[in-house]
Amino acid sequence: MSLSKNKIKLISSLKLKKYRDELSLFVAEGPKLVSDLLKCFSPKIIVSTQSWLDENSPSAEEIIVVSSADDLKSVTQLSSPSPVLAVFYKKECSFISNSVHLSSKKSPNSIPAESVPQEFNSPSSLSPNNGGGFASNPITNITNPLSPASRNQKEVLNSSNHSEYFTNPLSPVSRHQEEVLNSSNHSEYFTNPLSPDFFKEKRLILAIDSVQDPGNLGTIIRIADWFGINDIVCSETTVDVYNFKTIQATMGALCNVNIHYINLKDFCAIAASYNWPLYGTFLNGEVIYNAKLTDFGVIIMGNEGNGISSDIADLVSNRLYIPDYPLGKSYSESLNVAVATSIVCNEFRRLCYNVRK
């Protein structure tokens, strides 16, 4: 079976953040990545060869079998088409101040795939006033894949019937919905980054300040997963986590790391108010190998060109510097932000490992 023109239009449209937001969908390609994401995201469409289907036996709203990977040339974003491409539902809700809200209206996900492209010429038809369930930009303030509420959080968690809150295909969890609903401790999954509960467990958190390259963000998510950092808080100006290049660079780590978009200055101020150390990398900081590092705190990584913004830099309590080697040698102007993140995370974990050994 070949891809219809409407399917090609739908999949191609998801290259743009505008349509990813309006339709709450994103694309992933590649056997391993798609297999990993199937563990924690709900697939709307899977396009693959029969051999991949036979090996993986996936379920999706729609499965399209193609004779070979070459049949995906019209929609692939890779240099060479892979034997499988999947369109997944995003996990997304928004924080307004300290309250949590997930629209309980029908989302654009309920629109049949063949009819979606007709909506592209009229994005306003997806707004709440027209029954679409989302404004044109549903992550203006903050997005968090963890919050389960279509009403206030307390009401949801005290409810004896959780199913009414999870009828939307955007399952707002970062692990299996069944695992979440059967858990005796819902707070582990559903904590607002601006609430006191978010800071109860002393741990390392990554904060990303306006990183623009999708590959960098994806690599940082993968690094966080490797070093056991479960939460990444991103500024509202950080690149979209559902950008295709970001998704591909995570190599499936998105299933294990919770991504929050929020006013980063507010988040850092709240963290500081709870006496959490705030670490950041600067050219005038203390050499990281000499610094006294704790096993909890917020590690802030800045923009590729400008570093940490001045209003957030003012809140940093511990300034760190990754030295060049040898001293006095002419060196590159700076390190790539993902490389720097890896070095910093490794040093934190190395010290913690030695202390607990």
Side-chain angles (χ1 to χ4, degrees), residues 295-334:
D295 60 358
F296 77 99
V298 179
I299 301 171
I300 305 167
M301 304 304 297
N303 172 269
E304 291 91 341
N306 301 315
I308 298 173
S309 54
S310 58
D311 55 344
I312 294 174
D314 291 340
L315 298 171
V316 173
S317 56
N318 301 72
R319 292 179 168 237
L320 304 175
Y321 171 61
I322 301 173
D324 59 309
Y325 184 86
L327 292 176
K329 175 183 177 292
S330 177
Y331 56 92
S332 300
E333 182 180 349
S334 63

Side-chain angles (χ1 to χ4, degrees), residues 18-24 103 105-111 115-138:
K18 172 182 177 181
Y19 295 123
R20 292 196 299 271
D21 288 349
E22 288 178 356
L23 302 174
S24 288
S103 174
K105 296 181 181 180
K106 284 275 188 177
S107 81
N109 302 333
S110 60
I111 302 172
S115 65
V116 168
Q118 278 70 38
E119 304 295 332
F120 294 161
N121 295 325
S122 179
S124 60
S125 65
L126 297 175
S127 68
N129 293 333
N130 292 308
F134 285 107
S136 60
N137 183 4

Side-chain angles (χ1 to χ4, degrees), residues 250-298:
T250 66
M251 296 296 288
L254 196 58
C255 286
N256 304 320
V257 181
N258 310 314
I259 311 299
H260 316 266
Y261 282 81
I262 195 169
N263 183 306
L264 194 56
K265 181 180 178 181
D266 289 349
F267 173 79
C268 290
I270 292 173
S273 73
Y274 289 112
N275 296 317
W276 275 51
L278 271 61
Y279 297 92
T281 53
F282 299 86
L283 292 176
N284 62 350
E286 180 182 6
V287 173
I288 189 171
Y289 308 121
N290 300 330
K292 183 179 180 180
L293 306 178
T294 58
D295 60 358
F296 77 99
V298 179

